[in-house]
Amino acid sequence: MILQDDRYQIQGIDLVSLTETYGSPLYVYDGQKIVDQYHGLKDSFSKVKVNIKYAGKALTNQAILQLMKREGAGLDVVSIQEAQLGIRAGFEPHEILYTPNCVSFDEIKEAVELGVKINIDNISILEQFGHVYHGTVPICVRLNPHILAGGHHKISTGHIDSKFGISVHQLRHVLRVIDTNGLKVEGLHVHTGSDVLDPEVFLRGADIIFEAAHSFPDLQYIDFGSGFKVAYREGDAVTDISLLASRIEEAFLEFCQEYGRELEMWFEPGKYLVSEAGYMLVRTNVIKTTPATVFAGVDSGMNHLIRPMMYDAYHDIVNLSNPQGTQRVYTVVGYICETDTFGWDRKLNEVREGDILAIKNAGAYGFSMSSNYNSRFRPAEVLVYQGKHHLIRKRETMDDLLVNQVPVEW
Ligand SMILES: *Cc1c(COP(=O)(O)O)cnc(C)c1O
């Protein structure tokens, strides 16, 4: 988003005018930013074969999945429905890695039938899988290296009491199950959490996986997960991707030499690819001055973007309608009957009723975590790509709220 001629724009398209066309609140995605993030990440690796699987749960709109596919990405999914959405969007099943947690074995069987790659993250499922498929369906195994990482305890998955992955301390048990059932393990996976700043965390995880990998002779790839941190406010530290890439490539090449074969290196970023590309545009309904605070109350809330409330996430807010206005301090809140604060004490160009605000970093875990709480409609989504804007999801209507409700014959 740039400010030009007093108007905030994406690829030459005025953001405020998009709300005039499509209404508000509105999710807007900058397709070029997504493409740039993907290739920037991919091109940081030059010495190993790297495969980037977009973690679709961050933003699952078909148009976004199709964009990823066109650029050459694979797909990481966490539910059978995401796998189905990926196939609908044009991914080949073998390009999809299904990484579920605590799903039923029936759902795993469905995934096998779809033909997607299966990542197993607990010993019980590993055993059941072994009994049914033996070595006929190669699998990936998700290990938990017990590294404490991540920007918030709710998004940290690698610690000792996390529900994710199979503990590396249970490796001997895993190997026994694999041996007994003749399972074929073609991939190892590790994902320590989200918002991981320090490349050392990835390297520590990698070291643990490399050590374990020597016990798996059939490997084709190692999946190092994701969790790359992006900037949520100006000047925020972000994961140094080029440093990470060169360090992990070096370690990986060394490992491959010991292992005796060159494997593929996989990553599965969600946030890194789509977070900064997304904006949620909201309209200011009221300015409410209390003895303590000036609130800007907008036509959206935790039902549309829950990250500030759920993770205490900081999302930058910009007044698009008054770029030259005097800066004042506002607390930007939603219209939901909960304390749904988008940002406390933010310095914004003077906000007047009717002004359109942009909430930044809304691409990842924005729309995909939205709900109908308070019986509000979910927003429309617009993709800006090659200088054009495309409506990629219609705003909901009362019909959507009622579509699955079954009236009682009183
Ligand atoms: C959520 C998730 C990701 C993506 O994490 P980001 O922080 O969005 O990059 C990757 N892999 C798995 C298994 C996940 O659950």
Side-chain angles (χ1 to χ4, degrees), residues 55 57-58 76 78 99 142 189 191 193-195 226-228 268-272 365:
K57 73 174 187 283
D76 181 79
V78 292
T99 302
R142 177 174 188 171
H189 170 274
H191 173 71
S194 232
D195 284 353
S226 170
F228 309 130
E268 43 184 39
K271 193 176 278 182
Y272 186 80
Y365 311 107

Side-chain angles (χ1 to χ4, degrees), residues 94-116:
H94 68 84
E95 295 172 321
I96 300 176
L97 178 67
Y98 168 65
T99 302
N101 174 263
C102 292
V103 303
S104 69
F105 188 61
D106 283 343
E107 187 170 314
I108 302 235
K109 284 202 274 195
E110 266 186 80
V112 172
E113 277 155 32
L114 284 179
V116 302

Side-chain angles (χ1 to χ4, degrees), residues 125-328:
I125 293 286
L126 193 66
E127 282 173 337
Q128 294 177 62
F129 198 93
H131 293 157
V132 175
Y133 298 107
H134 307 285
T136 58
V137 179
I139 52 168
C140 180
V141 172
R142 177 174 188 171
L143 293 176
N144 187 334
H146 302 308
I147 289 171
L148 188 56
H152 189 281
H153 69 94
K154 285 187 192 160
I155 51 177
S156 156
T157 59
H159 49 85
I160 191 78
D161 41 13
S162 163
K163 67 166 189 164
F164 294 99
I166 302 175
S167 168
V168 285
H169 304 313
Q170 293 171 299
L171 191 58
R172 282 176 57 188
H173 190 173
V174 169
L175 293 172
R176 212 160 49 234
V177 175
I178 287 167
D179 226 32
T180 314
N181 296 285
L183 280 164
K184 189 169 173 215
V185 178
E186 63 171 12
L188 286 182
H189 170 274
V190 56
H191 173 71
T192 48
S194 232
D195 284 353
V196 182
L197 182 59
D198 186 357
E200 288 302 323
V201 171
F202 289 92
L203 290 164
R204 275 195 351 251
D207 272 344
I208 293 167
I209 295 299
F210 293 155
E211 205 181 306
H214 289 294
S215 306
F216 298 85
D218 300 319
L219 294 181
Q220 302 292 330
Y221 58 88
I222 295 180
D223 184 337
F224 294 94
S226 170
F228 309 130
K229 189 174 181 311
V230 300
Y232 275 82
R233 48 178 122 197
E234 220 171 305
D236 249 4
V238 299
T239 312
D240 185 339
I241 296 289
S242 65
L243 175 66
L244 169 70
S246 70
R247 297 278 312 272
I248 205 162
E249 265 187 336
E250 196 181 319
F252 191 67
L253 285 173
E254 205 171 292
F255 159 75
C256 289
Q257 198 143 41
E258 288 167 21
Y259 188 74
R261 237 166 355 100
E262 209 166 292
L263 304 183
E264 284 183 26
M265 178 187 277
W266 289 14
F267 289 99
E268 43 184 39
K271 193 176 278 182
Y272 186 80
L273 298 183
V274 297
S275 174
E276 293 162 283
Y279 302 85
M280 188 168 77
L281 308 187
V282 296
R283 189 172 176 279
T284 310
N285 283 336
V286 288
I287 300 294
K288 177 169 179 173
T289 305
T290 71
T293 308
V294 182
F295 290 103
V298 302
D299 63 351
S300 179
M302 62 183 284
N303 50 331
H304 298 153
L305 180 68
I306 202 172
R307 297 192 76 261
M309 306 90 196
M310 185 151 160
Y311 305 126
D312 301 321
Y314 183 99
H315 286 251
D316 226 353
I317 302 173
V318 179
N319 184 358
L320 304 182
S321 300
N322 192 15
Q324 305 302 338
T326 310
Q327 291 210 319
R328 299 185 193 284

